[in-house]
C-alpha cells in the first residue's frame, strides 16, 4: 500500500515532455505503473498506438527504461523473445540482475490485432506483465471502433445515424478471457483508484509468471469529454459498475472495490459526446437496455467473486 | 453534400474531394457492396467513408480484428457473390499477403487498396511496388493500377472492380500518401455513363458444370449461389472439377491458366498514357504520383528546347512491355522515375535491354521528386 507523498518522491520511468493529448489518461496509467514498479529494473515493450507514437517522437523519448517497439500486433511476442533471452543469459551466468518485463498496449493492439500473440505469451508462461491501456477505440488512427468499444458508442466506423445507433455489439470481456488463461495474476484497474492500481501492479510484478492488467484510460478526443475530467471519467465508470475493479489471483476472483451506492449508468455516459445520440426520445429504450446489461454483467461478477 | 444525398450510390457532380474518399466513391460507383478493413493510417478515411456510405446503400461494412481477418472476410464475401474491397497501408498490406495468395489461387475477384507509406511513418513512397507483384506465395499474376490524382483514384477504383470481375483475380489499387491525403477536383459522371462489369455465372445445369473449367487462358464461370451447384475453393492444386489433385500435370495446367489468363490478356489490361512522345528523343517513364513532377519536368525541358516526353504507366502490373518497348525504340534513352530505391526501374531495364539505355531517377527519402530535380536529371542525360 502506497501513500501519495511517497509516490510523489518516486523516480518514474515515464518522463514529462511526451506529446500525449491534454486530458488523456494513458500517461497517468503509465506513471502509476511506474510508481508501482519502484526501483525494480524493467524492460518495456510497447505496441503501436497513441502511447508509442506520442512518447517517442524522433529523436526524443519519454522513457527512462530500455524500451522496444516493434509493430501493432506483437508486443507480447517481442517481449516473449526478450524475456526468454534474459532467462538464457541468466542461466549462463552472464546476467545476475533481476529484471522485470512490462508490455503496454492499447485496446486495438491488445483486444484485437495483438490478441493472438498475447494469448500465446500467456499460455507459454513468460514472466511478463502485460498492461492494456483501454481507451475503447483505435484513437491513434482516428477513433475507429474496437472490440473494447462500449456498445452504442459513436465512432468513425460505427457511426451513429439512421442505420445504426453507434456500435451494435457489447464489448469483449478481455479481463475474463485473460483469467481463463489460468495465469497467476489478472486484474482490472482504473487510475482514479490509484491505490488499488498500484497494489495490483505490484502484485503482478511480484508473481513469477505471466500477469495481465486491464486499465481504463479515457480519451478526450474519442469519448468527447472535457479535458479536465479524465480521472473523473474512470471514477464514474467504476462507480456505475461499468468498469468494476477486481482481481483474479491463482484462479480466485476477488472484488477489490465495491461502490457504496451503485450510480446510474447515465451519470457516466452523459458526460461523453460519443453517447450523445442516446439521450433522445427515440433512443430511450437503448439507454434502458444499456443499463440492464451493465446490471447483468455486474451481478455476474458479484457471483464470480462470491459476493452474492 | 454527403448528408443531403445519403442513400445515393453514385454522387454525380463536381466535387472537391479527399483522395481516400474518392476511392470509396469509386468503389460504390462500381457496385461494391462489401468492405472489410482494419484501422491504419493513411488509409483510414476509406474505411470511415465506407462505414458511413455502405449501410446507406444497402451494403455491408465490417471492421476486421486485423488485416488478415479483413482480407479473408473480403474473399468470403466475394465467394458469396459480393463485390468486395479492403483498404490498407503498407504495413497492413504485408499482413494481408496470405489471404491475397488464397484469393489468387481460388480466383476470387476482389479489390485491395494499398495506400503506400514509409515503414511506420506516413511519408510518401512507392516502395511496395514489388510487394504488390510478388508479396503472396504461389504462382500468380498481379493486376496493379497506379492512379496519379484524386480523379484517377476514383476512375481506377472502378476499373479495378471491372478487371477483378472480368478476370476473376484480385486487383490492387496502388495508392500513395501523396494523392490519398490530397484534395482535388473530382468529377463523378452520371451512373449510366459508368461502365460496370459483373462476373459471369454459368448457364450450364449443375450436372454439367465444372467450376474451374475454362478455355486455355480463360476465366471459369461462377456457379450461381443457392441453386444446387457445388464448388470447393481450395488453395491446393485442383482440377477442373475443383477437386484437390497432386498430379503434376494438373498442377501445371492450373497455374498456366491462372497466370495465362492475365498474361495473355495483357492488351486488355495494360493501360498507358503518352505525353509529348510524338517527337521525343528522351522519355521519362513514371507511375503513380511521380507522373506529376515528371510531366512538369518534361515541359520545363521542352521550354529549353529538349525533346522530352513522358510515358505514364497507369497499369504497373502486368508490365506494359509493348508500350515501354515502343518508347525505347524511338528514344535515345529513357529515365525510370520512382519513389523508392529503384525497384520497378529493373523491369524497365529488362524490357529495354539492348534497345536503349535506362537511367534511374529514383529516390527513397519520404518525398516526391520536385520537378526541378527531374529537370536537372534530364539535363544530365540529355547532354
Amino acid at each position: 500500500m502506497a501513500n501519495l507523498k511517497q509516490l510523489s518522491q518516486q523516480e518514474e520511468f515515464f518522463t514529462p515532455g511526451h506529446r500525449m493529448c491534454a486530458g488523456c489518461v494513458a500517461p497517468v496509467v503509465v506513471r502509476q505503473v511506474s510508481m508501482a514498479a519502484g526501483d525494480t529494473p524493467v524492460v518495456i515493450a510497447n505496441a503501436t498506438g497513441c502511447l508509442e507514437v506520442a512518447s517517442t517522437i524522433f529523436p526524443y523519448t519519454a522513457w527512462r527504461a530500455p524500451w522496444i517497439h516493434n509493430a501493432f500486433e506483437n508486443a507480447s511476442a517481442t517481449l516473449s523473445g526478450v524475456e526468454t533471452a534474459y532467462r538464457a543469459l541468466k542461466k549462463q551466468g552472464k546476467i545476475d540482475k533481476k529484471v522485470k518485463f512490462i508490455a503496454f498496449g492499447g485496446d486495438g493492439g491488445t483486444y484485437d490485432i495483438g490478441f493472438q500473440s498475447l494469448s500465446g505469451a500467456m499460455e507459454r508462461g513468460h514472466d511478463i506483465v502485460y498492461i492494456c491501456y483501454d481507451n475503447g477505440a483505435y484513437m491513434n488512427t482516428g477513433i475507429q471502433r474496437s472490440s473494447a468499444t462500449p456498445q452504442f458508442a459513436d465512432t468513425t466506423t460505427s457511426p451513429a445515424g439512421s442505420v445504426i445507433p453507434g456500435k451494435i455489439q457489447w464489448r469483449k470481456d478481455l479481463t475474463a478471457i485473460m483469467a481463463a488463461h489460468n495465469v497467476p495474476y489478472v486484474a482490472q484497474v482504473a487510475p482514479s483508484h490509484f491505490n488499488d492500481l498500484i497494489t495490483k501492479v505490484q502484485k503482478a510484478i511480484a508473481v513469477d509468471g505471466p500477469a495481465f492488467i486491464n486499465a481504463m484510460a479515457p480519451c478526450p478526443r474519442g469519448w468527447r469529454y472535457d479535458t479536465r475530467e479524465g480521472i473523473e471519467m474512470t471514477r464514474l465508470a467504476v462507480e456505475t459498475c461499468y468498469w468494476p475493479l477486481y482481481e483474479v489471483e491463482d484462479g480466485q476472483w476477488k472484488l477489490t472495490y465495491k461502490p457504496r451506492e451503485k450510480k446510474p449508468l447515465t451519470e457516466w455516459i452523459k458526460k461523453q459526446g460519443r453517447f450523445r445520440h442516446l439521450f433522445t426520445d427515440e433512443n430511450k429504450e437503448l439507454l434502458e437496455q444499456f443499463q440492464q446489461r451493465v446490471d447483468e454483467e455486474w451481478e455476474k461478477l458479484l457471483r464470480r467473486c462470491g459476493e452474492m | 453534400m454527403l448528408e443531403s444525398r445519403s442513400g445515393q450510390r453514385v454522387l454525380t457532380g463536381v466535387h472537391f474531394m479527399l483522395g481516400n474518399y474518392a476511392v470509396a466513391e469509386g468503389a460504390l460507383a462500381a457496385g461494391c457492396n462489401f468492405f472489410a478493413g482494419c484501422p491504419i493510417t493513411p488509409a483510414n478515411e476509406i474505411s470511415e467513408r465506407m462505414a458511413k456510405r455502405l449501410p446507406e446503400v444497402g451494403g455491408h461494412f465490417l471492421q476486421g480484428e486485423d488485416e488478415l481477418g479483413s482480407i479473408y472476410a473480403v474473399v468470403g464475401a466475394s465467394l458469396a457473390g459480393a463485390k468486395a474491397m479492403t483498404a490498407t497501408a503498407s504495413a497492413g498490406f504485408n499482413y494481408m499477403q496470405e489471404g491475397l495468395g488464397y484469393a489468387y489461387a481460388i480466383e476470387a475477384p476482389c479489390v485491395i487498396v494499398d495506400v503506400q507509406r514509409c515503414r511506420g511513418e506516413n511519408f510518401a513512397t512507392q516502395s511496395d511496388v514489388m510487394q504488390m507483384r510478388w508479396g503472396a506465395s504461389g504462382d500468380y499474376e498481379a493486376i496493379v493500377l497506379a492512379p496519379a490524382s484524386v480523379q484517377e483514384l476514383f476512375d481506377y477504383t472502378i476499373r479495378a472492380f471491372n478487371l477483378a470481375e472480368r478476370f476473376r483475380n484480385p486487383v490492387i489499387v496502388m495508392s500513395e500518401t501523396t494523392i490519398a491525403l490530397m484534395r482535388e477536383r473530382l468529377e463523378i459522371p452520371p451512373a449510366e455513363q459508368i461502365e460496370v462489369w459483373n462476373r459471369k455465372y454459368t448457364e450450364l445445369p449443375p450436372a454439367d458444370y465444372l467450376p474451374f473449367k475454362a478455355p486455355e487462358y480463360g476465366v471459369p464461370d461462377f456457379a450461381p449461389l443457392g441453386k444446387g451447384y457445388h464448388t470447393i475453393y481450395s488453395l491446393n492444386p485442383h482440377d477442373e472439377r475443383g477437386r484437390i489433385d497432386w498430379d503434376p500435370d494438373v498442377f501445371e495446367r492450373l497455374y498456366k491458366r491462372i497466370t495465362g489468363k492475365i498474361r495473355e490478356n495483357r492488351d486488355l489490361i495494360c493501360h498507358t498514357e503518352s505525353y509529348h512522345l510524338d517527337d521525343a528523343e528522351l522519355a521519362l517513364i513514371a507511375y503513380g504520383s511521380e507522373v506529376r513532377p515528371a510531366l512538369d519536368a518534361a515541359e520545363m525541358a521542352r521550354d529549353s528546347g529538349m525533346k522530352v516526353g513522358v510515358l505514364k504507366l497507369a497499369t504497373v502490373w502486368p508490365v506494359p512491355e509493348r508500350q515501354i518497348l515502343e518508347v525505347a525504340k524511338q528514344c535515345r534513352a529513357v529515365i525510370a522515375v520512382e519513389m523508392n530505391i529503384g525497384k520497378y526501374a529493373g523491369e524497365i531495364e529488362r524490357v529495354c535491354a539492348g534497345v536503349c539505355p535506362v537511367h534511374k531517377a529514383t529516390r527513397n527519402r519520404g518525398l516526391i521528386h520536385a520537378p526541378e530535380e527531374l529537370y536537372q536529371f534530364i539535363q544530365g542525360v540529355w547532354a
Side-chain angles (χ1 to χ4, degrees):
Chain A
M1 203 60 95
N3 72 48
L4 262 181
K5 197 174 170 195
Q6 286 168 343
L7 292 176
S8 66
Q9 286 158 359
Q10 193 105 53
E11 181 156 327
E12 295 168 26
F13 59 57
F14 194 65
T15 66
H18 60 75
R19 300 189 205 171
M20 304 293 276
C21 302
C24 169
V25 180
V28 181
V29 170
V30 177
R31 290 188 58 198
Q32 292 185 9
V33 169
S34 167
M35 289 170 187
D39 300 331
T40 311
V42 293
V43 174
I44 293 162
N46 207 165
T48 303
C50 295
L51 178 66
E52 169 263 323
V53 167
S55 67
T56 56
I57 293 172
F58 188 79
Y60 305 106
T61 174
W63 300 88
R64 268 204 195 104
W67 181 93
I68 183 168
H69 164 247
N70 187 346
F72 200 5
E73 74 283 9
N74 53 22
S76 311
T78 305
L79 205 57
S80 295
V82 176
E83 188 264 354
T84 305
Y86 162 76
R87 275 191 287 118
L89 290 172
K90 203 155 187 200
K91 206 167 156 189
Q92 293 163 27
K94 290 179 179 166
I95 191 167
D96 55 2
K97 218 165 28 176
K98 190 161 174 64
V99 179
K100 283 292 183 172
F101 302 88
I102 300 176
F104 286 103
D107 47 293
T110 308
Y111 283 65
D112 290 347
I113 194 169
F115 180 69
Q116 181 175 328
S117 79
L118 170 62
S119 181
M122 293 284 137
E123 187 272 333
R124 286 188 302 267
H126 296 282
D127 188 15
I128 66 175
V129 179
Y130 192 104
I131 291 166
C132 175
Y133 68 99
D134 180 349
N135 54 25
Y138 292 77
M139 301 309 186
N140 185 41
T141 47
I143 318 167
Q144 292 87 4
R145 59 90 84 191
S146 77
S147 60
T149 303
Q151 192 173 21
F152 303 125
D154 174 42
T155 73
T156 54
T157 53
S158 62
S162 56
V163 184
I164 52 163
K167 191 189 171 193
I168 300 165
Q169 302 85 0
W170 191 257
R171 60 177 282 272
K172 186 192 273 183
D173 187 355
L174 186 65
T175 315
I177 294 167
M178 297 324 292
H181 282 69
N182 296 315
V183 291
Y185 192 75
V186 171
Q188 193 157 286
V189 302
S192 48
H193 299 67
F194 68 88
N195 237 323
D196 181 78
L197 187 152
I198 287 169
T199 308
K200 285 172 177 168
V201 174
Q202 281 171 343
K203 277 189 185 178
I205 290 174
V207 296
D208 190 16
F212 175 83
I213 287 181
N214 205 355
M216 176 173 264
C219 164
R221 291 272 295 106
W223 296 24
R224 287 177 264 152
Y225 59 80
D226 193 318
T227 51
R228 287 172 306 178
E229 297 204 278
I231 295 297
E232 188 60 13
M233 283 300 129
T234 75
R235 189 188 316 282
L236 285 169
V238 173
E239 298 289 336
T240 55
C241 299
Y242 178 82
W243 190 263
L245 304 180
Y246 65 94
E247 63 185 6
V248 186
E249 204 170 354
D250 295 323
Q252 289 297 311
W253 289 64
K254 189 184 159 206
L255 201 65
T256 56
Y257 175 79
K258 197 174 181 179
R260 216 165 287 155
E261 206 183 325
K262 181 164 169 267
K263 289 194 164 131
L265 183 68
T266 47
E267 291 207 15
W268 179 54
I269 64 175
K270 75 183 174 196
K271 284 174 176 275
Q272 302 173 45
R274 61 176 174 165
F275 294 118
R276 191 171 295 146
H277 58 286
L278 291 181
F279 295 89
T280 57
D281 283 344
E282 58 194 28
N283 283 337
K284 217 173 142 194
E285 223 171 280
L286 300 179
L287 215 50
E288 284 162 18
Q289 197 185 316
F290 200 172
Q291 178 68 61
Q292 201 185 330
R293 181 72 191 262
V294 170
D295 294 345
E296 282 167 21
E297 294 293 327
W298 172 241
E299 279 168 27
K300 198 157 81 187
L301 181 66
L302 289 178
R303 279 195 295 275
R304 270 177 172 162
C305 295
E307 297 268 343
M308 69 180 275
Chain B
M1 177 70 94
L2 181 59
E3 300 305 324
S4 62
R5 292 169 69 185
S6 67
Q8 280 185 32
R9 198 169 248 286
V10 182
L11 297 183
T12 304
V14 177
H15 306 258
F16 185 63
M17 197 178 273
L18 185 74
N20 276 339
Y21 286 169
V23 168
E25 293 305 330
L28 291 165
C32 174
N33 47 11
F34 182 90
F35 182 97
C38 185
I40 188 162
T41 310
N44 292 306
E45 294 81 6
I46 302 173
S47 294
E48 289 169 14
R49 183 89 167 187
M50 290 306 249
K52 271 209 182 79
R53 292 273 284 134
L54 267 178
E56 290 174 353
V57 298
H60 295 274
F61 171 87
L62 183 152
Q63 189 177 307
E65 68 281 5
D66 57 26
E67 282 80 2
L68 198 55
S70 302
I71 183 82
Y72 277 113
V74 162
V75 173
S78 171
L79 294 182
K83 283 193 176 180
M85 176 170 98
T86 184
T88 187
S90 302
F93 187 60
N94 297 345
Y95 211 12
M96 285 188 180
Q97 295 303 328
E98 186 196 277
L100 195 51
Y102 179 62
Y104 282 119
I106 62 163
E107 301 175 75
C110 54
V111 173
I112 298 99
V113 183
D114 175 13
V115 186
Q116 297 168 96
R117 64 181 209 189
C118 289
R119 281 204 69 96
E121 291 292 349
N122 303 318
F123 292 109
T125 187
Q126 295 178 323
S127 53
D128 291 356
V129 65
M130 285 294 160
Q131 187 184 201
M132 289 181 195
R133 172 64 186 91
W134 303 107
S137 68
D139 277 343
Y140 57 88
E141 286 284 340
I143 302 177
V144 181
L145 312 181
S149 65
V150 171
Q151 182 69 51
E152 285 176 0
L153 280 167
F154 176 86
D155 296 341
Y156 291 14
T157 303
I158 297 175
R159 204 172 134 70
F161 272 97
N162 290 345
L163 290 167
E165 293 287 315
R166 185 172 180 181
F167 293 103
R168 278 192 67 167
N169 213 60
V171 176
I172 298 164
V173 177
M174 178 199 218
S175 184
E176 302 166 37
T177 309
T178 42
I179 49 173
L181 299 182
M182 182 192 284
R183 277 175 202 273
E184 262 183 343
R185 186 181 195 274
L186 167 67
E187 197 174 330
I188 300 183
E192 61 277 11
Q193 285 176 23
I194 296 172
E195 189 195 10
V196 172
W197 276 75
N198 292 310
R199 67 188 63 177
K200 213 169 144 231
Y201 287 101
T202 185
E203 284 160 8
L204 295 170
D208 301 337
Y209 173 70
L210 296 175
F212 293 97
K213 187 176 164 64
E216 196 182 4
Y217 296 120
V219 181
D221 293 342
F222 269 102
L225 295 160
K227 301 250 169 70
Y229 293 82
H230 299 283
T231 308
I232 298 169
Y233 289 104
S234 175
L235 182 74
N236 292 316
H238 43 271
D239 63 15
E240 292 182 336
R241 296 168 301 173
R243 296 189 197 169
I244 295 165
D245 195 329
W246 302 101
D247 179 340
D249 291 337
V250 169
F251 193 102
E252 192 173 29
R253 250 197 322 272
L254 175 70
Y255 287 101
K256 250 190 183 151
R257 186 181 59 71
I258 284 182
T259 53
K261 72 177 178 184
I262 307 300
R263 248 201 326 262
E264 299 305 314
N265 286 308
R266 208 176 287 223
D267 282 340
L268 293 171
I269 298 166
C270 289
H271 176 58
T272 59
E273 286 172 26
S274 305
Y275 300 92
H276 308 304
L277 277 176
D278 290 345
D279 62 343
E281 293 174 34
L282 186 64
L284 300 164
I285 301 180
Y287 58 90
S289 67
E290 286 275 67
V291 168
R292 304 169 75 118
L295 275 174
D296 287 344
E299 268 158 28
M300 288 161 79
R302 288 259 162 193
D303 288 345
S304 314
M306 294 181 272
K307 288 180 176 166
V308 177
V310 175
L311 179 69
K312 162 179 166 177
L313 308 179
T315 311
V316 172
W317 302 103
V319 179
E321 294 181 5
R322 186 176 51 80
Q323 293 91 327
I324 293 172
L325 199 56
E326 268 171 32
V327 171
K329 281 178 183 161
Q330 172 194 331
C331 295
R332 287 196 273 131
V334 301
I335 300 172
V337 181
E338 60 183 329
M339 220 190 318
N340 56 43
I341 56 167
K343 289 173 169 170
Y344 199 79
E347 289 298 311
I348 296 171
E349 269 182 330
R350 176 178 64 77
V351 177
C352 299
V355 182
C356 85
V358 176
H359 300 270
K360 297 177 190 175
T362 63
R363 72 175 339 189
N364 183 32
R365 43 188 254 124
L367 292 169
I368 191 167
H369 275 105
E372 293 74 18
E373 288 172 287
L374 290 178
Y375 174 65
Q376 278 168 18
F377 197 94
I378 291 168
Q379 283 179 312
V381 174
W382 186 268

